[in-house]
Amino acid sequence: MLTRKKSLTMIMISAALVILLLAPLAWAEDESLTLGYVAGVMDPFMIMIQQGAEDMAAEIGNVEVVSQIPGSWSVDVQSPMWIAMAARGVDLVFGCPVDKEALIPVLRDVHERGVPVITTDTFIGDGDYTTGPESFVLSGIQTDNIAAGELAGHTMAEMLGGEGKVYLQEFHVGVSTSDERSQGFIQAIEQYPGIELAARNSCDNDQDIALTQTAAALRAHPDIDGVFGNNLFACLGAAQAVQNAGLSPAITVIGFDAAPSVVEMVEKGWMDGIVSQQPYKIGQEAVHHAVRYLREGIEPPKKIDVEAVLFTVENYQDPEMQALIYQ
Ligand code: T6T
């Protein structure tokens, strides 16, 4: 016969065992996270960010990524997507604000609803989240776009042997990535006294407009020697215009973003180089830092730069470059 004291002790031990066994389950459930991703627009670059994010979420476990991908590059289309993410109660939102200024109040609204914000690719304000009005943003994870623009500028100047007139096809004035790539490109070519910027235009992230603008620039400046398109759509339109004018390969064309359609331009000899990004890695980094912050309270660095890479006619077939083509 068990004494009263002994049976009481056994009940307490069993209860403790049950608590111990169930505790990890309860912990895991508490830690289940939903992260929101708001892309800039439907394109291969943004899809690669999503893939990197989803793969990292699966690797970490018990993390879900829900995505919103606008059909066009538009403040009006994207703004409600950020707010909807906050309203549905995600634990954190990361994404690519489509305008440096217009998205500031929108992202602040998300933050004030208690949902932390990370920007990926594009940033708001001047991108400095360490102090000032945009310091509510937890981190900016992106390509160093000034360095990427400089890489395009130096590559162009060297391919032209330090002499010639160049045309800059921008994808969207007022978007941080477009403005920084242009800044870097101009900074670089200014270091070559023989290189002159003949003209520049912004195409609203529209390939057809880029084609029309580049064609007009080639007519207005028949002595243009080089063309740089500063994103996927800008460079595809620009390369097509050079080809239509019968000026390929006489004019040197540098593109941006190694989507398959852009790499094809190099294969066909319509493009001489591509400065590209690592969007898969940007997506991985976003989820990695979001989860560390939410689960362990570790704040990410305010700025995380992911290196740009240069595709050329010589290296684009190398396996390590092929692995960086957007899928
Ligand atoms: O170049 C990328 C991205 O970095 C930019 O902000 C918007 O355009 C792309 O998505 C390419 O289409």
Side-chain angles (χ1 to χ4, degrees), residues 9 24 34 49 73 86 113 117 154 173 175 179 192 208 255 265-266 277:
T9 313
T34 303
I49 293 187
W73 192 275
R113 289 167 190 245
V117 174
H154 287 299
V173 167
V175 178
D179 291 350
Y192 302 80
D208 292 336
M265 296 269 166
V266 174
Q277 313 185 72

Side-chain angles (χ1 to χ4, degrees), residues 43 45-46 73 121-122 171 177 181 231-233 257 277:
D43 74 16
F45 172 87
M46 301 288 169
W73 192 275
D121 179 44
T122 45
F171 84 86
T177 45
R181 288 169 203 168
N231 92 333
L232 172 63
F233 301 107
D257 287 309
Q277 313 185 72

Side-chain angles (χ1 to χ4, degrees), residues 278-312:
Q278 303 190 59
Y280 186 83
K281 198 168 174 185
I282 292 175
Q284 285 180 310
E285 290 278 342
V287 169
H288 166 74
H289 286 289
V291 173
R292 255 172 37 124
Y293 175 69
L294 295 167
R295 286 193 177 152
E296 299 168 53
I298 300 172
E299 293 210 6
K302 284 288 189 180
K303 192 175 195 304
I304 298 173
D305 282 339
V306 176
E307 211 190 350
V309 293
L310 178 67
F311 284 72
T312 60

Side-chain angles (χ1 to χ4, degrees), residues 47-221:
I47 298 297
M48 288 300 287
I49 293 187
Q50 184 187 4
Q51 276 177 20
E54 286 174 357
D55 288 353
M56 180 56 85
E59 196 182 313
I60 295 172
N62 217 6
V63 181
E64 188 194 5
V65 177
V66 290
S67 300
Q68 285 275 343
I69 306 187
S72 60
W73 192 275
S74 154
V75 170
D76 290 344
V77 174
Q78 197 197 45
S79 300
M81 292 182 171
W82 287 91
I83 303 300
M85 284 290 184
R88 70 175 278 177
V90 297
D91 296 294
L92 180 148
V93 192
F94 64 93
C96 321
V98 293
D99 189 279
K100 284 193 287 204
E101 299 305 323
L103 267 293
I104 295 176
V106 178
L107 270 56
R108 185 174 293 121
D109 188 350
V110 172
H111 166 76
E112 281 167 5
R113 289 167 190 245
V115 180
V117 174
I118 289 177
T119 60
T120 46
D121 179 44
T122 45
F123 57 67
I124 51 169
D126 63 2
D128 179 3
Y129 303 148
T130 53
T131 51
E134 285 82 49
S135 57
F136 68 86
V137 180
L138 207 53
S139 179
I141 306 174
Q142 62 274 306
T143 303
D144 180 342
N145 282 289
I146 295 184
E150 285 175 342
L151 180 58
H154 287 299
T155 305
M156 174 72 83
E158 278 157 28
M159 284 182 175
L160 294 181
E163 294 285 333
K165 286 195 179 171
V166 297
Y167 170 68
L168 169 58
Q169 181 62 62
E170 299 170 89
F171 84 86
H172 211 308
V173 167
V175 178
S176 68
T177 45
S178 185
D179 291 350
E180 287 203 328
R181 288 169 203 168
S182 298
Q183 184 190 331
F185 180 74
I186 291 167
Q187 268 166 214
I189 59 169
E190 277 174 356
Q191 293 174 31
Y192 302 80
I195 302 279
E196 188 189 321
L197 181 67
R200 61 193 281 186
N201 280 304
S202 174
C203 69
D204 273 348
N205 205 33
D206 184 315
Q207 188 173 329
D208 292 336
I209 298 178
L211 195 161
T212 309
Q213 290 178 335
T214 306
L218 295 175
R219 282 194 300 274
H221 306 271

